[in-house]
Amino acid sequence: MKNEMDEQFDVFWKSYPRRVGKLKAKKAFNKIKPDRALFKKMLESIEKSKGNEQWDSKKYIPHAATWLNGERWEDEIEVDKDGVSAWADEEGING
């Protein structure tokens, strides 16, 4: 039977677009021990980053363990080639 953290990791792993190094990612995830608010923030950051031009090619997406260890959910989302942040388009902020 899986505990809540195992279930959270499964959701994280399915949502992360570059699925390599699962064991290292799970160790990093377990070290963080995200509460529900942090877990939600992490997933939102992943979804916003998926719209980022840098993440168009998997070779520019960090491995999941690197993303976790670097607390990359705290990063600002890069501006795309149109000068608009990727998440602003999704939220309809650009009109």
Side-chain angles (χ1 to χ4, degrees), residues 8 21 29-30 32 49-50 54 72 74 77 80 93-94:
Q8 283 182 331
F29 189 89
N30 289 341
I32 295 165
S49 295
K50 285 179 181 179
Q54 285 185 313
R72 302 293 297 271
E74 297 289 348
I77 304 298
D80 70 12
I93 294 172
N94 297 317

Side-chain angles (χ1 to χ4, degrees), residues 59-77:
K59 70 181 180 178
Y60 296 115
I61 301 171
H63 289 199
T66 301
W67 191 88
L68 289 163
N69 287 325
E71 297 183 5
R72 302 293 297 271
W73 59 87
E74 297 289 348
D75 290 357
E76 289 185 32
I77 304 298

Side-chain angles (χ1 to χ4, degrees), residues 21-79:
K22 187 173 183 177
L23 182 59
K24 286 183 180 182
K26 188 162 188 168
K27 285 180 182 179
F29 189 89
N30 289 341
K31 188 169 90 175
I32 295 165
K33 299 178 186 168
D35 60 19
R36 289 180 185 193
L38 177 56
F39 183 64
K40 181 180 177 191
K41 184 176 184 176
M42 292 164 73
L43 293 179
E44 288 172 351
S45 178
I46 291 168
E47 289 308 310
K48 288 176 186 175
S49 295
K50 285 179 181 179
N52 186 306
E53 192 175 273
Q54 285 185 313
W55 280 31
D56 284 347
S57 171
K58 285 193 178 191
K59 70 181 180 178
Y60 296 115
I61 301 171
H63 289 199
T66 301
W67 191 88
L68 289 163
N69 287 325
E71 297 183 5
R72 302 293 297 271
W73 59 87
E74 297 289 348
D75 290 357
E76 289 185 32
I77 304 298
E78 293 285 326
V79 174

